Structure formats: structure tokens, C-alpha cells
Amino acid sequence: MELHGKNLIGGKAVASTGTKTFTGVNPASGEKLPALFHEATAAEADEALSLAAKAFEEYRRQPGEKIAGFLDRIGEEIQKLGDELIQRASAETGLPEPRLTGERNRTVNQFKMFAALVREGSWLEATIDRAQPDRKPLPKADLRRMLVPLGPVVVFGASNFPLAYSVGGGDTASALAAGCPVVVKAHPAHPGASELVARAIQAAIEATGMPNGVLSMVHGVSTEIGTRLVQHPAAKAVGFTGSLQGGRALFDAAAKRAEPIPVFSEMGSTNPIFILPGALKQNGKAIAEGLAQSVTLGVGQFCTNPGLAFGPAGEDWRAFVARVGELASAVAPGVMLHQGISAKFNEGTKKFQGVAGVSVAGKSTTEATQGRAPAMIFNTDSKTFRQQQVLREEVFGPSTLLVNCGSTRELEQIARDLPGQLTATIHGTEEDLLAHANLLAILREKAGRLIFNQFPTGVEVCPSMQHGGPYPATTDSRFTSVGTFAIKRFVRPVCFQNFPDAALPVELKNKNARDIWRIVDGKLTKDNL
Ligand code: NAP
């Protein structure tokens, strides 16, 4: 399929003359890739949202079964793109093809998972309290509540998941499943893969008779286009994955609107690991290996990458630090996703090296050429860590800071002082856990996912997953951006009081025609009323 490089406003490919253009770049070679991409104009961004608002009127009325069929079809159309998608995404991101093939499976499965959720229907939380006209002292009205879609959602694709968290990623899948049209701001680091996926979704829209404008995609290399989308009055929510700076800027822009809207920014974290004394003694070698693997996996470009590890000072810890350093030294530098990420990694690791009291315990022995990142293991003590705020900042890439600590109380204090996280991990024996019960209680307040004797990288897509956490990990810790519960970001509850059955949504009528689970007068049931 030849790439046209245009913005997709509903079914139309659009590029105004005289607009800024850019190309995809192969981060491994610096070579410009074929096709010229056109940044959207302000008018095109506005048109995408106006069309989305129009499409919403029709899309929100679609029966669950039709939306589910649409989501399944998107998965099929993405799959049909075949090797072309994998090859283009690999050229644009430097990610190896097997990794992208796995990511495509995840992307397709996300659509299937949301299709199944929509069909099953209990996510709508249909809740009915029947009238009690004879109740004393006052009669009770008939009340029926369910979740309804918010309206058009603006999605910002992530650079580190060009398929699973981009144009056809989890944010788009969950918003479409909720009944919301989507306008995607494509990430400029993979514009070709973005266009291919947007065209696959377009094909699914046409094949299943969904309204024009249920998905649009605009390109942009400056922050203005994204900000404009967020500020457009038709936008009703935002899904974002990326930097703290970007996520926060969009959150602030949305809060300043005449009508503020929710922004679900997932901005990453340092994912601290606490290695307790018993585990260190019994299992130090295996933990060192697991940590080195987790830190360097995918050139460390995961928001769940462990950037901090704490353990008890002493001989066991010294051996542990030496082992992690040694393992990292043997890892070859890897290509980073784009020049900006590579520059930020170099800046971050330089900052760490400039802190008195921080040493390098290990670094890839092979010299890193332009655009590649060496694995880097830093070593410090708790005093330095507590004094230097900069050491709490995420360095996105294959690096981690190992910190030796004194007492259990000090470990607890460090945990208390940490900012919000996506994950927190404990390595311990059962005795360790008993002796550190308070640490676990502290970490529960800090993170969305607590991990025991495993590592944080590798986020399973399933209903029980929580991928979110207190700020600055995300802008709203009550929600997840991975798994079925991600749909709850894009809906709101509505209660119908005293409506005739004929005027109620199908999910709230007396006859349970969709055969979904509902709570009727306090009891979970599929019965008709
Ligand atoms: P990014 O710079 O935050 O960009 C993500 C998307 O948001 C891009 O489309 C970008 O558009 C847009 N954007 C960023 N700042 C904006 C602003 N102020 N106003 C409007 N739009 C804005 O993320 P990235 O390029 O993927 O990577 C940069 C850094 O983000 C990394 O070094 C890393 O620290 C972090 N990161 C975190 C995660 C995570 O999973 N949480 C994933 C990837 C990266 P433009 O490019 O057109 O400005």
C-alpha cells in the first residue's frame, strides 16, 4: 500500500498546500524513510472534531452487537496489513520485527477483548431499583442507572508502542468500545505505521457501516496541533501516553477550557524494587539476573522499566551490585525509538553521573554509536539518594540506580518520600514480608500494581490488570489504561427516573433482551422484570 502522508479526516485523505511536511526517520541509520507527511492545519484539526461530534450522534445509538462487530473487524483489518505494517513500524522505530509481531497480536487481541466486553454487557453497570409507590412515609420512584459514552476522545499515540498504544492501541479500542468517536494525534516518530493502521480502521468503518468521522487521524510535529485538539469544544476526554511534561501540559490545557474535560495521561514512573534481606541472601544471584534483564529489555523503553532498586547495605548487597553491573556490561547498546528519546537518555544519565556519591557499577562495554543507548547501572547510598531530588526522576531507557539502605525504618522513609508510581516491587521471603508489613502498606499508597518476587516489565492485558497509579505516574489514579477497565475512563453514569419502559435504553428495559447481568433491587440477575 503506497503511503499518501495525508491526514485522515473521517474517510477523506486531506493535505492543504503550504503546510509543514516531515518524514519518518530510521533511528538506526538516521536515514529518511519514503513518503512525505503533512502536518494538519488548525482548520483540519477542527474539522476532525466537528465530524467526530456529528458521528457521535449516530455512533452512540449503535447496538452493542454492532459495535462489537466493528471492533472485531478492526482487528481483522490490522492483521490483514501483514508484513508491510511490521516492516514499516520496524524501520520507523528500530524495534525488531519479532517484537512488533508480538505487539500486533496484542493490538488485535485488545480489539477482540473489548468486542467481547461490549457483547457481554455487564460493564455498563445497569442497575435498577423498581418503584415502591406504597412506601411510607414517602413513595419511591423507579430509578434506572447505566453508563453512557462521554463523546469524542482525543488520543495521543505513544512512541514506545507504535501498534499497541498508538492509532489502533488500547486508548482507541477502549474509547470506541465505550461508544466514543476518536481523533488521534499520530506520533511523529512513526507516521507511516500510523497511517497504515488508520486506513485499516477506515476500512472497518466502511465494511461495518459505521458513521463517517468515528475515527480521524491528524499528523503533527509541533505541540500546537495536539493542544488545539484538546481545546476544541467537541472534545470530551483525552487519552495520552508519553512524557510527564507532555501529559501535564495537556492536562493543564484541558483544565483551562471553558468546559474542563478529563485527561487520562499515563506518564511513566521509576518502578522501585525493594529487595529485602532474606531474599537477597537466599536468592541474590537470580534477582540480579532478573533485574538486569528487566532493565535492558526493549532498550529499557517501557514505562514499567525498573529505574530504582533498594536493598540492605552489606556484603550481600555489594555482591549483588557487582553482579548486576557485570551483567549490564555484557549487554550491547540498543537503538532508541527516536532522536529525542536518545538525547533525553544521554542527558538523564549524565545528570546521574554528575551527582557526588553516585558511581557507575556497570556499563555496556561496547561503545554506543549515535542513537544507541548503553545499559547503565548506577550505585549510591541512601543518604545521597535522600538528598538529591534528581535521582528520583525517570531516566527513560536501559538504566537503573541501586541504593543501599540502613534500617527497615529508613527503607520505609524512602518509600514514603517516593512520588506516585505505576508499579512497586518487593523481593522477599515470607519472613521478610512479615518483618516489613509496614513497607507493603506504604507502597500500596504509592503504586497501582504491587509485584512480589517478579519484575514489573511485561504488562498483561486482562481484566484484573491495573496500569495506572498516583500522580505523576498518571493524572488520575482511579483508572487504568490497560485491560478491560480502561473503558471506564470514557463513560459517565446517567440515571433515568420514572421513565416508561418504551423510552428506556434496551439495557434498562423490563425485558432483558441483551441477556446481560444487571443489579435489580440490590440483586445481581439476568432475569426479566
Ligand atoms: P512525548 O514527548 O510526551 O510525546 C507524546 C505525544 O504527545 C506526541 O504526539 C507529542 O507531539 C505530544 N505532545 C508532547 N508534549 C506536548 C505538549 N506540550 N502539547 C501538545 N502535545 C504534546 O513522548 P515521546 O516522544 O513518546 O517520548 C519522550 C519522553 O516521554 C521519553 O523520553 C520518556 O521520558 C517519556 N515516555 C513515556 C512513556 C510511557 O509509557 N509513559 C512512553 C514513551 C515515552 P509532538 O511530538 O508533535 O510534540
Side-chain angles (χ1 to χ4, degrees), residues 39 156-161 185-188 220-227 240-247 249-250 266-269 301-304 337-338 340-341 344-345 394-396 422 467 473:
E39 182 160 59
F156 288 79
S159 60
N160 59 339
F161 280 97
K185 153 70 173 64
H187 198 291
V221 273
S222 60
T223 54
E224 283 108 66
I225 279 301
T227 310
F240 170 95
T241 302
S243 63
L244 172 59
Q245 199 190 19
L250 295 172
E266 194 267 88
M267 304 171 292
S269 70
Q301 299 169 115
F302 293 115
C303 41
T304 49
L337 290 158
H338 63 78
I341 285 192
K344 255 182 126 177
F345 178 76
E394 181 187 27
V395 178
F396 194 72
L422 291 170
H467 191 65

Side-chain angles (χ1 to χ4, degrees), residues 25 43 84 102 135 157 187 197 207 237 249 271 291 355 385 439 453 464 501 515 518 522 528:
V25 175
E84 190 183 359
R135 192 182 68 172
H187 198 291
V197 172
N271 305 296
L291 179 60
V355 174
F385 181 77
L439 176 66
N453 285 350
S464 51
D501 198 58
D515 194 31
R518 312 191 290 185
N528 296 317

Side-chain angles (χ1 to χ4, degrees), residues 33 68 81 102 106 115 153 181 233 280 286 309 320 339 353 388 414 417 426 479 500 510 516 524:
L33 295 164
L81 291 168
R106 173 174 166 169
V153 174
L280 184 65
F320 176 81
Q339 211 267 326
Q353 280 172 282
Q388 300 285 338
I414 282 178
D417 292 345
I426 289 185
F479 295 91
N510 290 338
I516 63 174
L524 192 62

Side-chain angles (χ1 to χ4, degrees), residues 12 55 82 107 179 193 232 253 260 349 392-393 426 457 465 471:
K12 269 192 307 180
T107 308
H232 193 284
T349 50
R392 285 167 179 68
E393 286 173 17
I426 289 185
T457 40
M465 177 48 68
Y471 187 86

Side-chain angles (χ1 to χ4, degrees), residues 226-297:
T227 310
R228 189 165 183 103
L229 293 173
V230 170
Q231 287 173 334
H232 193 284
K236 296 298 174 203
V238 179
F240 170 95
T241 302
S243 63
L244 172 59
Q245 199 190 19
R248 180 62 200 243
L250 295 172
F251 179 85
D252 290 344
K256 279 197 202 117
R257 290 167 39 125
E259 176 204 342
I261 54 171
V263 175
F264 302 100
S265 290
E266 194 267 88
M267 304 171 292
S269 70
T270 49
N271 305 296
I273 296 189
F274 292 81
I275 302 161
L276 303 180
L280 184 65
K281 191 163 268 330
Q282 278 181 22
N283 217 9
K285 262 191 169 167
I287 300 171
E289 274 161 31
L291 179 60
Q293 267 172 25
S294 185
V295 170
T296 55
L297 185 76

